[in-house]
Amino acid sequence: MTDPQTSQTVQSRQLQVETHGLDVIGDAERKGTPSTLFWPWFGANVSILGLSYGAFALGFGISFWQALVAGVIGIVFSFLLCGFIAVAGKRGSAPTMVLSRAAYGVRGNRLPSVISWVLTVGWETVLTALATMATATVLGRLGWGGGTETKVVALIVVGALIVVGGVMGFDLIMRLQTVITVVTGVLTVVYIALVADHIHWSTVSAVPAGSAQEFIGALVFMMTGFGLGWVNAAADYSRYLPRSSSGRGVIGWTTFGASVAPLLLLVFGLLLAGSSSSLNKAVAADPIGALTSILPTWFLVPFAVVAVLGLVGGAVLDIYSSGLALLSAGLRVPRYLAALVDGVLMIAGSVYIVFFADNFLGQFMGFLTTLGVPIAAWCGIMLADLALRRRDYDDVDLFRPNGRYGDVALTPLLLTLAATAIGWGLVTNTAASWLTWQGYLLDPLGLGGKSGSWAYANLGVLAALALGFLGTLALGRARVQRQEAEAASPEAVAAV
């Protein structure tokens, strides 16, 4: 498909604001190989925050080995889901939440688009707030401030970096993520070397084991904290690859690039948190800043650099994808303005977290689990829909309510709502007062109620993923076959 907006051939690599929004990327602009996906995914997930997940996992009351197994399975499996959805990007060359229209219908897809938008705005807000708090903590230890004024300045600088990256778009993001990958990778290794003597294996190995339910809770938390937080944006970068690119390569490089840093950081984070109960507790209040308490003073500035860059790397990808999700939900503005709108909301949310919110970890876990349920349902539906398809997407019909994909597809919408309702009934978030209504199915299903052993296993995320996937396989096959039996749109044929 070609049109005046998408047929511009990139003849130079001068940096400029990306003009693409929801439109399909033209053949002349599709470039690279699957291996190039390593850089954005690694850069977005090499954050020092990965160390804090060690404390988060142990907080479920499990041992080092249980937390390690839960982390490895949760991280790799959830990013593997991202890899599968990234294949849709190279098959359709459009943003993730546009390709989702094939399953939900052009306007029916607005529901998952809104959910995706809220999730990505939430994530970018959390990462911005963490970068701000980490900067203030470091400067406070150096005696250069650390109070309200320092936090305000840090928030302005961090917010500006993220908003500029999101507004500029794909080319700047790819360059930025390459730099972030190298700088944060080197400095993270130095950090690990400096604090290695704080690890006491005898203390770590003495942490008692938890129950199967606590293990499952930690595993699901890892899934929602890592890959399930990215699935709704997984095709936003692979859409620039040629459609002839290897599907296995797309899956492999996405999964590997996204998983390798979190896995290494998780292991070291578990060792640190398991060696010190005080550090473990401090991470809950300030997940990044708490890690400075065991650093020599001379490395505080490099630590601030690695912490901020890592968090900015993730937030930049989020703000880019949140802008695309907002457009897919129906907002009719250029992509860069949508990213700017999200940036304003991001900064407002960060102000609340940094200056007013208490119990960061409880609110964070509640946010992840609550939105993780509908996103898991969408992910299951999207994966099953993709598995049922044998042909590439029809570019034109992704934008036409009267095309092959239809206007509103009731089955996937009802399946999403049903899976979400069941999922929310099987999760609890007692640390977040605004979520105490959840868990309403735990007692009727004989799982011990909101205070029973299954209360914190977060089964609702897994249930929503399975229901979305299996329900679509069972009910969506005929619809996909009817879609693919239709001839290509006349506009698409003319553009070839």
Side-chain angles (χ1 to χ4, degrees), residues 361-376:
L361 181 57
Q363 307 298 327
F364 178 53
M365 292 177 69
F367 162 74
L368 284 182
T369 305
T370 300
L371 287 184
V373 170
I375 283 296

Side-chain angles (χ1 to χ4, degrees), residues 390-452:
R390 297 295 178 265
R391 298 170 53 185
D392 287 345
Y393 296 96
D394 187 299
D395 300 345
V396 175
D397 282 351
L398 287 170
F399 299 89
R400 297 195 314 178
N402 61 343
R404 74 181 65 217
Y405 303 123
D407 189 11
V408 177
L410 287 178
T411 299
L413 283 171
L414 294 175
L415 192 56
T416 301
L417 294 174
T420 299
I422 293 172
W424 279 342
L426 295 173
V427 298
T428 57
N429 289 285
T430 55
S433 58
W434 50 286
L435 295 173
T436 54
W437 55 271
Q438 295 176 344
Y440 44 80
L441 292 179
L442 291 168
D443 190 43
L445 294 179
L447 296 173
K450 296 183 180 182
S451 59

Side-chain angles (χ1 to χ4, degrees), residues 154-456:
L155 179 57
I156 292 173
V157 174
V158 170
L161 285 172
I162 295 168
V163 172
V164 168
V167 168
M168 291 296 291
F170 181 79
D171 280 339
L172 178 60
I173 288 173
M174 293 298 283
R175 297 185 190 190
L176 181 64
Q177 296 299 72
T178 303
V179 173
I180 288 175
T181 296
V182 175
V183 174
T184 55
V186 171
L187 292 180
T188 300
V189 171
V190 176
Y191 174 89
I192 290 174
L194 289 173
V195 301
D197 59 345
H198 288 269
I199 294 174
H200 306 290
W201 176 247
S202 59
T203 304
V204 175
S205 59
V207 176
S211 65
Q213 294 90 334
E214 291 167 331
F215 170 81
I216 294 173
L219 187 152
V220 175
F221 177 74
M222 288 294 174
M223 289 177 58
T224 55
F226 287 98
L228 280 181
W230 288 109
V231 287
N232 53 309
D236 292 352
Y237 306 94
S238 56
R239 67 183 176 133
Y240 278 89
L241 292 175
R243 295 198 187 188
S244 58
S245 300
S246 165
R248 291 184 179 181
V250 170
I251 295 170
W253 282 106
T254 298
T255 307
F256 176 66
S259 298
V260 61
L263 288 173
L264 295 174
L265 291 168
L266 173 68
V267 172
F268 201 75
L270 286 170
L271 292 171
L272 283 176
S275 299
S276 171
S277 59
S278 60
L279 177 64
N280 201 340
K281 293 177 182 178
V283 166
D286 186 359
I288 304 297
L291 298 173
T292 67
S293 62
I294 54 177
L295 275 176
T297 303
W298 67 267
F299 192 70
L300 288 175
V301 171
F303 175 85
V305 171
V306 67
V308 170
L309 281 181
L311 294 167
V312 165
V316 165
L317 261 67
D318 276 320
I319 195 172
Y320 179 76
S321 293
S322 69
L324 294 174
L326 188 56
L327 296 179
S328 183
L331 184 66
R332 297 183 179 276
V333 298
R335 183 206 59 79
Y336 59 87
L337 285 182
L340 191 59
V341 169
D342 290 347
V344 173
L345 295 175
M346 173 192 77
I347 292 174
S350 299
V351 169
Y352 171 75
I353 294 175
V354 172
F355 297 103
F356 301 104
D358 296 321
N359 186 17
F360 171 83
L361 181 57
Q363 307 298 327
F364 178 53
M365 292 177 69
F367 162 74
L368 284 182
T369 305
T370 300
L371 287 184
V373 170
I375 283 296
W378 170 87
C379 180
I381 291 170
M382 184 69 176
L383 287 171
D385 182 82
L386 184 62
L388 291 172
R389 297 188 182 278
R390 297 295 178 265
R391 298 170 53 185
D392 287 345
Y393 296 96
D394 187 299
D395 300 345
V396 175
D397 282 351
L398 287 170
F399 299 89
R400 297 195 314 178
N402 61 343
R404 74 181 65 217
Y405 303 123
D407 189 11
V408 177
L410 287 178
T411 299
L413 283 171
L414 294 175
L415 192 56
T416 301
L417 294 174
T420 299
I422 293 172
W424 279 342
L426 295 173
V427 298
T428 57
N429 289 285
T430 55
S433 58
W434 50 286
L435 295 173
T436 54
W437 55 271
Q438 295 176 344
Y440 44 80
L441 292 179
L442 291 168
D443 190 43
L445 294 179
L447 296 173
K450 296 183 180 182
S451 59
S453 57
W454 286 101
Y456 304 103

